[in-house]
Amino acid sequence: MFSNKWKKKRPDEASSDGVITFLLTDNDYESRSLDVKTGSELIPQWYKDIPAKVKLRSNDTKEDLSVKRCIPVLDAITTGYYLVTAKDYTLEYDKELEVSKISGPGVSQRNISMHPVTQLGGMPFSPEYIKYAYKWGNDYTIKTPPGYSILFTHPLNYPYLPFYTLSGVVDSDIWGLPVFFSFFLKRNFIGTIPKGTPIMQFIPFKRDSWELEVKNDKESIEEEEFKAEKRRTMVTGYYKEDVWQK
């Protein structure tokens, strides 16, 4: 059971039922670091360009289904909301200092700040990243209805970005302040993070109590195998046509 902590506080900073609110905390709109987008607005071009069927090998005579036909991949991309860069960020890697220098029109420490990696303690991470903890600025206070929190995470299915944003869960009906996001920058990256690049995906969810149940009795296994066999009789499209809640 995971219910105790949810009963300690009242949602004084909650939004209305069925509404997620983004409050821009600075009146200077032009200086903002980030913009808000819905998941459906940010289907990446690489996904749009993939054909529904592909040859797995160049000498194959038959085609197989591509990731374009995988609805869970699409749902991961389009679920929730994104914060995207509101301006271009130019990065130049300094090999001697082993840091990235960040610049661009109107860019300041308010937009991106840098912190010693010692703040992360002994957290292991890939050597492809610089040993500094950078932090995205955020001008929005995000509020959810009573009983709802937000999972903040690196954009799902965006493994090619030159940075990696750490994940976190915030009780956004109670917190009532902007959330700032730490991230790692890739070593040796020189180039531009263009305006409109997603830096954080956030997915509201309802807090609830759950009990863990593991079943391995014969009756349950046979029942699931029967259902699986029924699904296998359909050539394609079972998930989309019979399961997908859209």
mmCIF file of all heavy atoms in Angstrom, residues 69-99:
data_model
loop_
_atom_site.group_PDB
_atom_site.id
_atom_site.type_symbol
_atom_site.label_atom_id
_atom_site.label_comp_id
_atom_site.label_asym_id
_atom_site.label_seq_id
_atom_site.Cartn_x
_atom_site.Cartn_y
_atom_site.Cartn_z
ATOM 1 N N ARG A 69 3.473 1.473 -37.260
ATOM 2 C CA ARG A 69 2.251 0.729 -36.944
ATOM 3 C C ARG A 69 2.160 0.361 -35.472
ATOM 4 O O ARG A 69 1.226 -0.340 -35.064
ATOM 5 C CB ARG A 69 2.185 -0.541 -37.800
ATOM 6 C CG ARG A 69 2.094 -0.297 -39.300
ATOM 7 C CD ARG A 69 0.789 0.384 -39.698
ATOM 8 N NE ARG A 69 -0.338 -0.473 -39.423
ATOM 9 C CZ ARG A 69 -0.835 -1.352 -40.293
ATOM 10 N NH1 ARG A 69 -0.293 -1.463 -41.503
ATOM 11 N NH2 ARG A 69 -1.882 -2.103 -39.976
ATOM 12 N N CYS A 70 3.129 0.817 -34.673
ATOM 13 C CA CYS A 70 3.130 0.511 -33.240
ATOM 14 C C CYS A 70 2.451 1.653 -32.484
ATOM 15 O O CYS A 70 3.060 2.699 -32.221
ATOM 16 C CB CYS A 70 4.552 0.294 -32.737
ATOM 17 S SG CYS A 70 4.620 -0.160 -30.989
ATOM 18 N N ILE A 71 1.204 1.470 -32.140
ATOM 19 C CA ILE A 71 0.422 2.518 -31.478
ATOM 20 C C ILE A 71 1.022 2.921 -30.129
ATOM 21 O O ILE A 71 1.033 4.113 -29.784
ATOM 22 C CB ILE A 71 -1.038 2.071 -31.306
ATOM 23 C CG1 ILE A 71 -1.688 1.865 -32.673
ATOM 24 C CG2 ILE A 71 -1.827 3.086 -30.494
ATOM 25 C CD1 ILE A 71 -1.709 3.103 -33.547
ATOM 26 N N PRO A 72 1.553 1.994 -29.311
ATOM 27 C CA PRO A 72 2.155 2.414 -28.040
ATOM 28 C C PRO A 72 3.297 3.411 -28.208
ATOM 29 O O PRO A 72 3.486 4.290 -27.363
ATOM 30 C CB PRO A 72 2.634 1.095 -27.424
ATOM 31 C CG PRO A 72 1.659 0.082 -27.946
ATOM 32 C CD PRO A 72 1.406 0.513 -29.366
ATOM 33 N N VAL A 73 4.085 3.292 -29.299
ATOM 34 C CA VAL A 73 5.150 4.261 -29.548
ATOM 35 C C VAL A 73 4.554 5.637 -29.807
ATOM 36 O O VAL A 73 5.012 6.653 -29.272
ATOM 37 C CB VAL A 73 6.029 3.815 -30.730
ATOM 38 C CG1 VAL A 73 6.988 4.930 -31.146
ATOM 39 C CG2 VAL A 73 6.815 2.565 -30.360
ATOM 40 N N LEU A 74 3.505 5.690 -30.622
ATOM 41 C CA LEU A 74 2.828 6.961 -30.902
ATOM 42 C C LEU A 74 2.223 7.547 -29.629
ATOM 43 O O LEU A 74 2.337 8.752 -29.372
ATOM 44 C CB LEU A 74 1.736 6.749 -31.952
ATOM 45 C CG LEU A 74 0.870 7.971 -32.272
ATOM 46 C CD1 LEU A 74 1.710 9.086 -32.869
ATOM 47 C CD2 LEU A 74 -0.263 7.576 -33.225
ATOM 48 N N ASP A 75 1.595 6.704 -28.827
ATOM 49 C CA ASP A 75 0.982 7.199 -27.589
ATOM 50 C C ASP A 75 2.024 7.754 -26.625
ATOM 51 O O ASP A 75 1.771 8.730 -25.917
ATOM 52 C CB ASP A 75 0.197 6.078 -26.907
ATOM 53 C CG ASP A 75 -1.232 5.974 -27.433
ATOM 54 O OD1 ASP A 75 -1.664 6.891 -28.168
ATOM 55 O OD2 ASP A 75 -1.918 4.986 -27.113
ATOM 56 N N ALA A 76 3.198 7.119 -26.574
ATOM 57 C CA ALA A 76 4.254 7.628 -25.695
ATOM 58 C C ALA A 76 4.665 9.032 -26.113
ATOM 59 O O ALA A 76 4.908 9.904 -25.267
ATOM 60 C CB ALA A 76 5.464 6.689 -25.728
ATOM 61 N N ILE A 77 4.723 9.275 -27.417
ATOM 62 C CA ILE A 77 5.130 10.581 -27.925
ATOM 63 C C ILE A 77 4.055 11.635 -27.681
ATOM 64 O O ILE A 77 4.350 12.773 -27.313
ATOM 65 C CB ILE A 77 5.456 10.491 -29.432
ATOM 66 C CG1 ILE A 77 6.697 9.615 -29.657
ATOM 67 C CG2 ILE A 77 5.680 11.880 -30.028
ATOM 68 C CD1 ILE A 77 6.963 9.301 -31.117
ATOM 69 N N THR A 78 2.790 11.279 -27.871
ATOM 70 C CA THR A 78 1.713 12.270 -27.851
ATOM 71 C C THR A 78 1.028 12.425 -26.496
ATOM 72 O O THR A 78 0.172 13.295 -26.335
ATOM 73 C CB THR A 78 0.645 11.912 -28.905
ATOM 74 O OG1 THR A 78 0.110 10.604 -28.629
ATOM 75 C CG2 THR A 78 1.234 11.929 -30.301
ATOM 76 N N THR A 79 1.398 11.604 -25.522
ATOM 77 C CA THR A 79 0.766 11.687 -24.208
ATOM 78 C C THR A 79 1.269 12.901 -23.432
ATOM 79 O O THR A 79 2.469 13.174 -23.387
ATOM 80 C CB THR A 79 1.041 10.409 -23.394
ATOM 81 O OG1 THR A 79 0.365 9.319 -24.001
ATOM 82 C CG2 THR A 79 0.533 10.553 -21.957
ATOM 83 N N GLY A 80 0.356 13.633 -22.819
ATOM 84 C CA GLY A 80 0.738 14.734 -21.937
ATOM 85 C C GLY A 80 1.106 16.001 -22.680
ATOM 86 O O GLY A 80 0.569 16.314 -23.749
ATOM 87 N N TYR A 81 2.072 16.716 -22.110
ATOM 88 C CA TYR A 81 2.463 18.036 -22.591
ATOM 89 C C TYR A 81 3.987 18.122 -22.628
ATOM 90 O O TYR A 81 4.685 17.309 -22.027
ATOM 91 C CB TYR A 81 1.904 19.123 -21.666
ATOM 92 C CG TYR A 81 0.411 19.008 -21.481
ATOM 93 C CD1 TYR A 81 -0.128 18.154 -20.514
ATOM 94 C CD2 TYR A 81 -0.461 19.739 -22.276
ATOM 95 C CE1 TYR A 81 -1.505 18.034 -20.361
ATOM 96 C CE2 TYR A 81 -1.833 19.627 -22.122
ATOM 97 C CZ TYR A 81 -2.359 18.766 -21.167
ATOM 98 O OH TYR A 81 -3.708 18.639 -21.015
ATOM 99 N N TYR A 82 4.482 19.147 -23.330
ATOM 100 C CA TYR A 82 5.921 19.361 -23.446
ATOM 101 C C TYR A 82 6.261 20.814 -23.116
ATOM 102 O O TYR A 82 5.468 21.731 -23.368
ATOM 103 C CB TYR A 82 6.406 19.085 -24.868
ATOM 104 C CG TYR A 82 6.427 17.644 -25.292
ATOM 105 C CD1 TYR A 82 5.280 17.019 -25.767
ATOM 106 C CD2 TYR A 82 7.602 16.891 -25.243
ATOM 107 C CE1 TYR A 82 5.307 15.693 -26.188
ATOM 108 C CE2 TYR A 82 7.634 15.576 -25.655
ATOM 109 C CZ TYR A 82 6.481 14.978 -26.130
ATOM 110 O OH TYR A 82 6.512 13.674 -26.541
ATOM 111 N N LEU A 83 7.450 20.991 -22.596
ATOM 112 C CA LEU A 83 8.075 22.301 -22.575
ATOM 113 C C LEU A 83 9.144 22.291 -23.654
ATOM 114 O O LEU A 83 9.964 21.368 -23.711
ATOM 115 C CB LEU A 83 8.688 22.610 -21.202
ATOM 116 C CG LEU A 83 7.681 22.842 -20.066
ATOM 117 C CD1 LEU A 83 8.398 23.030 -18.744
ATOM 118 C CD2 LEU A 83 6.802 24.059 -20.350
ATOM 119 N N VAL A 84 9.115 23.300 -24.535
ATOM 120 C CA VAL A 84 10.059 23.376 -25.636
ATOM 121 C C VAL A 84 10.823 24.691 -25.550
ATOM 122 O O VAL A 84 10.340 25.677 -24.981
ATOM 123 C CB VAL A 84 9.341 23.272 -27.005
ATOM 124 C CG1 VAL A 84 8.502 22.007 -27.082
ATOM 125 C CG2 VAL A 84 8.470 24.496 -27.271
ATOM 126 N N THR A 85 12.013 24.713 -26.103
ATOM 127 C CA THR A 85 12.832 25.921 -26.056
ATOM 128 C C THR A 85 12.139 27.063 -26.807
ATOM 129 O O THR A 85 11.595 26.868 -27.894
ATOM 130 C CB THR A 85 14.211 25.672 -26.675
ATOM 131 O OG1 THR A 85 14.049 25.096 -27.990
ATOM 132 C CG2 THR A 85 15.022 24.711 -25.814
ATOM 133 N N ALA A 86 12.184 28.253 -26.209
ATOM 134 C CA ALA A 86 11.552 29.429 -26.811
ATOM 135 C C ALA A 86 12.545 30.255 -27.618
ATOM 136 O O ALA A 86 12.182 31.304 -28.159
ATOM 137 C CB ALA A 86 10.915 30.294 -25.727
ATOM 138 N N LYS A 87 13.794 29.788 -27.687
ATOM 139 C CA LYS A 87 14.838 30.482 -28.443
ATOM 140 C C LYS A 87 15.926 29.496 -28.808
ATOM 141 O O LYS A 87 15.941 28.357 -28.306
ATOM 142 C CB LYS A 87 15.411 31.641 -27.628
ATOM 143 C CG LYS A 87 16.002 31.230 -26.282
ATOM 144 C CD LYS A 87 16.350 32.441 -25.438
ATOM 145 C CE LYS A 87 15.112 33.124 -24.922
ATOM 146 N NZ LYS A 87 15.397 34.308 -24.088
ATOM 147 N N ASP A 88 16.822 29.909 -29.688
ATOM 148 C CA ASP A 88 17.964 29.069 -30.059
ATOM 149 C C ASP A 88 19.040 29.119 -28.978
ATOM 150 O O ASP A 88 19.298 30.181 -28.401
ATOM 151 C CB ASP A 88 18.583 29.546 -31.377
ATOM 152 C CG ASP A 88 17.678 29.312 -32.575
ATOM 153 O OD1 ASP A 88 16.719 28.541 -32.442
ATOM 154 O OD2 ASP A 88 17.939 29.921 -33.631
ATOM 155 N N TYR A 89 19.671 27.967 -28.736
ATOM 156 C CA TYR A 89 20.808 27.904 -27.823
ATOM 157 C C TYR A 89 22.007 27.345 -28.587
ATOM 158 O O TYR A 89 21.949 26.229 -29.117
ATOM 159 C CB TYR A 89 20.503 27.006 -26.628
ATOM 160 C CG TYR A 89 19.419 27.538 -25.729
ATOM 161 C CD1 TYR A 89 18.082 27.142 -25.891
ATOM 162 C CD2 TYR A 89 19.722 28.436 -24.715
ATOM 163 C CE1 TYR A 89 17.098 27.635 -25.062
ATOM 164 C CE2 TYR A 89 18.731 28.934 -23.885
ATOM 165 C CZ TYR A 89 17.427 28.535 -24.067
ATOM 166 O OH TYR A 89 16.445 29.036 -23.255
ATOM 167 N N THR A 90 23.067 28.118 -28.658
ATOM 168 C CA THR A 90 24.282 27.692 -29.346
ATOM 169 C C THR A 90 25.267 27.121 -28.326
ATOM 170 O O THR A 90 25.553 27.769 -27.316
ATOM 171 C CB THR A 90 24.922 28.867 -30.098
ATOM 172 O OG1 THR A 90 23.979 29.363 -31.055
ATOM 173 C CG2 THR A 90 26.180 28.414 -30.821
ATOM 174 N N LEU A 91 25.767 25.921 -28.593
ATOM 175 C CA LEU A 91 26.680 25.249 -27.672
ATOM 176 C C LEU A 91 28.056 25.074 -28.311
ATOM 177 O O LEU A 91 28.159 24.652 -29.467
ATOM 178 C CB LEU A 91 26.141 23.880 -27.266
ATOM 179 C CG LEU A 91 25.060 23.845 -26.188
ATOM 180 C CD1 LEU A 91 23.747 24.394 -26.689
ATOM 181 C CD2 LEU A 91 24.858 22.433 -25.676
ATOM 182 N N GLU A 92 29.081 25.384 -27.540
ATOM 183 C CA GLU A 92 30.452 25.184 -27.982
ATOM 184 C C GLU A 92 31.218 24.486 -26.870
ATOM 185 O O GLU A 92 31.329 24.999 -25.754
ATOM 186 C CB GLU A 92 31.106 26.521 -28.315
ATOM 187 C CG GLU A 92 32.513 26.390 -28.872
ATOM 188 C CD GLU A 92 33.096 27.726 -29.293
ATOM 189 O OE1 GLU A 92 32.350 28.717 -29.338
ATOM 190 O OE2 GLU A 92 34.313 27.770 -29.552
ATOM 191 N N TYR A 93 31.721 23.299 -27.161
ATOM 192 C CA TYR A 93 32.391 22.493 -26.140
ATOM 193 C C TYR A 93 33.835 22.935 -25.957
ATOM 194 O O TYR A 93 34.597 23.056 -26.920
ATOM 195 C CB TYR A 93 32.343 21.013 -26.515
ATOM 196 C CG TYR A 93 32.980 20.120 -25.485
ATOM 197 C CD1 TYR A 93 32.431 20.004 -24.218
ATOM 198 C CD2 TYR A 93 34.130 19.392 -25.788
ATOM 199 C CE1 TYR A 93 33.015 19.186 -23.264
ATOM 200 C CE2 TYR A 93 34.710 18.565 -24.841
ATOM 201 C CZ TYR A 93 34.150 18.467 -23.579
ATOM 202 O OH TYR A 93 34.731 17.664 -22.636
ATOM 203 N N ASP A 94 34.213 23.194 -24.704
ATOM 204 C CA ASP A 94 35.582 23.564 -24.358
ATOM 205 C C ASP A 94 36.289 22.308 -23.838
ATOM 206 O O ASP A 94 36.030 21.856 -22.716
ATOM 207 C CB ASP A 94 35.574 24.662 -23.292
ATOM 208 C CG ASP A 94 36.955 25.222 -23.007
ATOM 209 O OD1 ASP A 94 37.912 24.428 -22.943
ATOM 210 O OD2 ASP A 94 37.069 26.450 -22.820
ATOM 211 N N LYS A 95 37.162 21.730 -24.653
ATOM 212 C CA LYS A 95 37.817 20.477 -24.278
ATOM 213 C C LYS A 95 38.732 20.641 -23.075
ATOM 214 O O LYS A 95 38.886 19.723 -22.266
ATOM 215 C CB LYS A 95 38.599 19.929 -25.463
ATOM 216 C CG LYS A 95 37.727 19.451 -26.617
ATOM 217 C CD LYS A 95 38.569 18.820 -27.710
ATOM 218 C CE LYS A 95 37.690 18.296 -28.834
ATOM 219 N NZ LYS A 95 38.478 17.660 -29.915
ATOM 220 N N GLU A 96 39.345 21.806 -22.951
ATOM 221 C CA GLU A 96 40.276 22.031 -21.851
ATOM 222 C C GLU A 96 39.552 22.093 -20.513
ATOM 223 O O GLU A 96 39.967 21.482 -19.528
ATOM 224 C CB GLU A 96 41.062 23.320 -22.082
ATOM 225 C CG GLU A 96 42.128 23.584 -21.028
ATOM 226 C CD GLU A 96 42.948 24.823 -21.326
ATOM 227 O OE1 GLU A 96 42.950 25.279 -22.494
ATOM 228 O OE2 GLU A 96 43.602 25.326 -20.393
ATOM 229 N N LEU A 97 38.448 22.822 -20.476
ATOM 230 C CA LEU A 97 37.674 22.959 -19.231
ATOM 231 C C LEU A 97 36.631 21.860 -19.073
ATOM 232 O O LEU A 97 36.064 21.696 -18.005
ATOM 233 C CB LEU A 97 36.984 24.325 -19.199
ATOM 234 C CG LEU A 97 37.901 25.549 -19.204
ATOM 235 C CD1 LEU A 97 37.069 26.837 -19.236
ATOM 236 C CD2 LEU A 97 38.804 25.552 -17.972
ATOM 237 N N GLU A 98 36.377 21.124 -20.164
ATOM 238 C CA GLU A 98 35.361 20.059 -20.182
ATOM 239 C C GLU A 98 33.989 20.588 -19.790
ATOM 240 O O GLU A 98 33.276 19.998 -18.970
ATOM 241 C CB GLU A 98 35.777 18.900 -19.279
ATOM 242 C CG GLU A 98 37.009 18.171 -19.768
ATOM 243 C CD GLU A 98 37.263 16.886 -18.989
ATOM 244 O OE1 GLU A 98 36.987 16.862 -17.778
ATOM 245 O OE2 GLU A 98 37.743 15.928 -19.605
ATOM 246 N N VAL A 99 33.627 21.720 -20.385
ATOM 247 C CA VAL A 99 32.292 22.291 -20.187
ATOM 248 C C VAL A 99 31.781 22.775 -21.538
ATOM 249 O O VAL A 99 32.556 22.950 -22.485
ATOM 250 C CB VAL A 99 32.292 23.471 -19.187
ATOM 251 C CG1 VAL A 99 32.720 23.013 -17.815
ATOM 252 C CG2 VAL A 99 33.165 24.607 -19.702
#
